[in-house]
Amino acid sequence: MDEDLAEITLSAERLYKGKIIDLELSEVRLPNGRTARREAVRHPGGAAVLLVKDGMVLMERQFRFPYGKVIWEIPAGKLNSGEDPCSAALRELEEETGWRAKKLERLAEIYPSPGYTDEIIYIFFATEAEFSRQHPDDDEFVNCRFIDIDECIAMCENGEISDAKTLVALYKYVYDRNKKKGP
C-alpha cells in the first residue's frame, strides 16, 4: 500500500564524517519518476533512561551547544558502534548520574527528526536502582537531581522542559501509570 511513497536511492556521497554524526547527500528517484536531492544526518542512535524513585524523577541539567543554553533532560547518550541500546542506557545512566539500574523496561523508540536524520532514540524505564558513582566523559558536565513527577509534568507544560526524549518519556510514564490505575 505505501510502496507507492518509497524513494529509491540512486547515489550517495558522504560530505562530512564527524565524531557524532556524518552528513550525506543523496540523489533519489521519487514516486513520480523525477529525481531529487536529499540531505541526511547519519547518527548511530541513542539510549535514554527514565529513573523514578518514590515519585521522583532523576533529571539532568546540561549545557547543549546547538541551543546555546542549559536544558533539563533525562540521562541519555549515543550508542557506540554495534552496542545494544539496553547496554548503552545502563552505561549512560551510571556514567552521567552515578545511578546503576538492575532492571530496564522499554518505554518507547522515537525518531526525533525524521526529515533530516536517521537517529533513533531508545527510551527505557529503570527500576531497582542504587547509587554507585558518577563518572562522566572528560568533556561532559552534568548536574543531577530528583524532581517530583508532578513538578516535572508542570515543567513540561510551562516549557521549562522542551527536550523531545524527555517529554516522550515523562508523558508515556504518566500515561502508563494512569492506565494501570484504571477509570
Side-chain angles (χ1 to χ4, degrees):
M1 178 177 163
D2 289 340
E3 294 80 30
D4 60 336
L5 299 175
E7 297 178 359
I8 308 300
T9 302
L10 302 173
S11 66
E13 176 186 4
R14 183 168 54 198
L15 302 177
Y16 173 78
K17 179 166 180 53
K19 178 181 170 187
I20 298 173
I21 57 135
D22 295 345
L23 178 60
E24 186 177 277
L25 179 63
S26 298
E27 184 176 355
V28 300
R29 183 174 325 285
L30 302 171
N32 66 3
R34 292 185 174 163
T35 61
R37 294 172 74 151
R38 298 287 187 242
E39 300 167 352
V41 173
R42 302 298 183 185
H43 188 284
V49 183
L50 178 69
L51 173 60
V52 181
K53 286 183 68 68
D54 303 319
M56 306 287 280
V57 178
L58 181 59
M59 296 290 294
E60 296 182 345
R61 293 282 286 164
Q62 190 171 177
F63 182 82
R64 291 303 193 175
F65 180 79
Y67 299 103
K69 65 182 182 177
V70 175
I71 67 170
W72 286 106
E73 58 189 303
I74 59 174
K78 181 178 76 68
L79 298 178
N80 292 325
S81 179
E83 186 177 26
D84 171 68
C86 187
S87 299
L90 291 169
R91 174 180 50 78
E92 288 293 337
L93 178 64
E94 186 173 349
E95 283 178 7
E96 292 183 358
T97 72
W99 284 88
R100 184 179 295 158
K102 292 181 184 171
K103 284 185 174 176
L104 285 183
E105 82 180 51
R106 183 188 169 280
L107 258 184
E109 183 177 300
I110 63 170
Y111 301 166
S113 195
Y116 70 87
T117 183
D118 63 353
E119 179 182 17
I120 299 172
I121 300 175
Y122 303 89
I123 304 173
F124 296 91
F125 174 62
T127 57
E128 298 181 31
E130 58 187 34
F131 189 76
S132 174
R133 70 176 185 85
Q134 188 177 16
H135 47 96
D137 295 336
D138 291 339
D139 63 349
E140 193 171 44
F141 301 89
V142 180
N143 290 337
C144 304
R145 75 175 202 181
F146 281 93
I147 301 174
D148 180 81
I149 184 70
D150 292 330
E151 185 179 341
C152 285
I153 296 302
M155 292 167 71
C156 293
E157 295 296 317
N158 71 25
E160 282 180 80
I161 296 176
S162 297
D163 174 62
K165 69 184 173 299
T166 303
L167 290 167
V168 168
L170 289 168
Y171 283 121
K172 176 78 165 97
Y173 173 78
V174 169
Y175 173 81
D176 288 350
R177 182 184 66 178
N178 290 339
K179 194 166 79 172
K180 287 178 185 171
K181 288 180 184 176

